[in-house]
Amino acid sequence: MVSGVKIAVIGAGYVGLTTAACLTSLGHRVVCADIDPAKVRALSRGEVTIREPGMAELVGVGLAEGRLRFVVGAGKAAPGAEVVFLCVPTPMGPDGAAKLAALEAAVAELRDPLPPDSVVVNKSTVPVGTAARVGELLGRPDVAVASNPEFLREGSAVHDFLNPDRIVIGSADLDAAKRVAALYEALNAPVLLTDPASSEMIKYAANCYLATRLSFVNSIAELCERMGADVNDVTRGMGYDQRIGTAFLRPGPGWGGSCFPKDAHALLRSAAVIGSDFPLLRAAIDTNARQQRLVVGKIRQAVGGRLAGTRVGLLGLTFKAGTDDLRDSPALAIAELLAAEGAELVGYDPSMPGAVAGIRVVDSAYAAAAGASALVLLTEWPEFRELDWERIAGQISGRYVIDARNHLDPLVVHHAGLLHQCLGQPAPQRALSR
């Protein structure tokens, strides 16, 4: 028998679909709305295009049990809903601020059909003060507003939703906050009830701290290279310190994706609006851009100092392994810098993203390596560790493999007669014989 709280989820993107599918699995009844009729039709048939372990299975079960359905438009999802989650895009505008047009449009559509005593929950990442703004736009004193930020990692979003480190809920209405918290009761996770502004700031503070941590370790990696230290041992030694831990201590080609760049710029912009400076965050952003230039410099040096007319093979195009998301991918940022210097780019990614501007996308890592003056690993897909490096050595025209994720086994690459250069270690001095 169908039971649980009646929930509407506005937006069937990454956050919205994860929220809808997982809340359905917790026993609630969910109507998920989107503005794209084709997406709604596909999801209603159980067709999930988002690359996320467990997502398709949860959607299929929800549809089969009658707990989950999809509709076009927020207004069609609102009637009868006890709780409404806003999971709409808040992209970065030209000035770095989050654009709230989609959120405001959804609120306008919800205003009239919302039942009395319902709760509108903002799950999108938004500037501090947005919950209060949503309340003003609704103009419904009989409807409470809450903030419930998401902390999902692409590639493990379903797992993260169902196994959260914490659940944060901010509302000026304590009863409404407790009602939202009760939706997650089966997860047995720590719950923090706070005010809306603090809830909104928690999301930005967490993401910007992690981004800053990544910029820090990339700077440490550069120092290690120049001073003869090994960043892998350095970060291992740091990670044993319980005050620091091991997470987000791997050097790489820079941070990207749909959250970190957008949130860092948005928080920096919010600080500027109130007349406050945030030099540490600004430095983290600048360091990230510099890291991409440093990787390009390694590639340029590997091919003899000039990229114009040089073929470069790229392994990995998505912003991280386990996803098909190209948004703000550091791999693409580096590719753009390479193309600007005249490099010919051939790339492969296991997610098979299709056409990518400026890159000839091929169907295997070996095709990406063929005839390349250098091969560059930019995304840490596990399958790249299992490649036949002797086969690659027979196809590549140069000798260098630039490992911008410190992902490969250097002994395997060296044994194939190639030069493996990663981040945070002195550059190899000579190629090994074939």
Side-chain angles (χ1 to χ4, degrees):
M1 182 177 180
V2 175
S3 61
V5 176
K6 296 178 181 178
I7 296 172
V9 174
I10 311 305
Y14 207 93
V15 173
L17 188 58
T18 303
T19 300
C22 290
L23 287 174
T24 299
S25 76
L26 296 178
H28 304 299
R29 291 168 285 174
V30 180
V31 180
C32 184
D34 199 89
I35 61 173
D36 184 347
K39 179 188 289 187
V40 168
R41 287 193 297 270
L43 288 170
S44 297
R45 296 190 298 266
E47 298 172 6
V48 176
T49 58
I50 294 175
R51 185 185 178 116
E52 183 62 46
M55 182 78 79
E57 291 80 0
L58 288 185
V59 170
V61 171
L63 290 171
E65 293 182 348
R67 294 183 182 274
L68 176 63
R69 61 189 180 93
F70 296 91
V71 298
V72 177
K76 291 185 178 179
E82 299 169 72
V83 180
V84 179
F85 284 89
L86 299 176
C87 304
V88 297
T90 54
M92 183 172 66
D95 62 352
K99 296 170 67 175
L100 301 180
L103 182 139
E104 292 173 352
V107 171
E109 193 173 345
L110 290 167
R111 184 186 301 119
D112 294 333
L114 276 174
D117 299 321
S118 56
V119 183
V120 173
V121 183
N122 191 14
K123 211 163 185 64
S124 302
T125 302
V126 292
V128 175
T130 301
R133 174 63 176 156
V134 168
E136 293 172 359
L137 291 172
L138 281 173
R140 292 278 304 270
D142 59 333
V143 174
V145 177
S147 168
N148 174 215
E150 53 86 13
F151 302 98
L152 307 176
R153 298 168 298 168
E154 291 195 37
S156 59
V158 169
H159 175 273
D160 291 348
F161 191 104
L162 298 176
N163 300 273
D165 294 325
R166 76 289 202 196
I167 295 167
V168 176
I169 301 165
S171 180
D173 184 328
L174 181 59
D175 179 64
K178 289 180 177 179
R179 287 171 61 190
V180 176
L183 300 176
Y184 301 100
E185 188 174 10
L187 301 181
N188 195 30
V191 176
L192 172 62
L193 301 183
T194 184
D195 60 274
S198 296
S199 175
E200 292 162 339
M201 179 60 84
I202 286 168
K203 176 59 185 289
Y204 278 113
N207 276 359
C208 291
Y209 170 74
L210 294 175
T212 300
R213 186 168 164 122
L214 288 171
S215 285
F216 174 83
V217 77
N218 280 335
S219 294
I220 290 294
E222 183 187 3
L223 292 180
C224 286
E225 287 183 22
R226 293 174 177 268
M227 297 178 177
D230 185 334
V231 73
N232 296 325
D233 287 342
V234 171
T235 54
R236 189 177 299 116
M238 292 171 62
Y240 282 124
D241 190 325
Q242 295 183 5
R243 299 168 301 174
I244 297 174
T246 59
F248 289 82
L249 278 185
R250 284 189 65 129
W255 38 268
S258 62
C259 293
F260 284 6
K262 174 176 70 74
D263 293 354
H265 283 93
L267 186 58
L268 201 61
R269 176 61 182 169
S270 294
V273 167
I274 63 172
S276 180
D277 195 12
F278 201 155
L280 178 61
L281 182 56
R282 188 181 304 278
I285 294 171
D286 292 343
T287 299
N288 194 53
R290 181 173 182 272
Q291 181 69 7
Q292 293 162 2
R293 295 194 297 271
L294 287 174
V295 172
V296 171
K298 289 179 181 294
I299 301 167
R300 187 189 304 113
Q301 184 178 25
V303 300
R306 180 177 172 82
L307 284 162
T310 300
R311 177 177 295 184
V312 178
L314 307 178
L315 297 183
L317 302 175
T318 55
F319 89 94
K320 63 178 284 189
T323 177
D324 55 3
D325 198 343
L326 297 172
R327 289 177 292 177
D328 275 304
S329 169
L332 297 190
I334 288 168
E336 186 175 345
L337 293 173
L338 292 169
E341 294 193 35
E344 175 193 349
L345 303 178
V346 183
Y348 167 72
D349 191 278
S351 73
M352 297 303 292
V356 179
I359 303 172
R360 179 163 64 87
V361 179
V362 293
D363 61 4
S364 75
Y366 303 106
S373 296
L375 189 61
V376 187
L377 188 148
L378 293 170
T379 311
E380 70 286 14
W381 289 95
E383 72 177 60
F384 292 154
R385 289 182 61 90
E386 308 303 321
L387 292 173
D388 183 341
W389 286 98
E390 292 189 359
R391 178 180 172 185
I392 286 177
Q395 295 175 312
I396 193 171
S397 66
R399 311 308 314 141
Y400 271 93
V401 176
I402 311 297
D403 183 359
R405 294 280 185 174
N406 288 12
H407 181 60
L408 303 173
D409 184 336
L411 294 179
V412 172
V413 178
H414 287 163
H415 187 266
L418 297 170
L419 277 169
H420 174 266
Q421 182 169 2
C422 61
L423 304 181
Q425 293 179 339
Q429 299 300 310
R430 61 183 181 83
L432 301 180
S433 60
R434 288 189 173 179

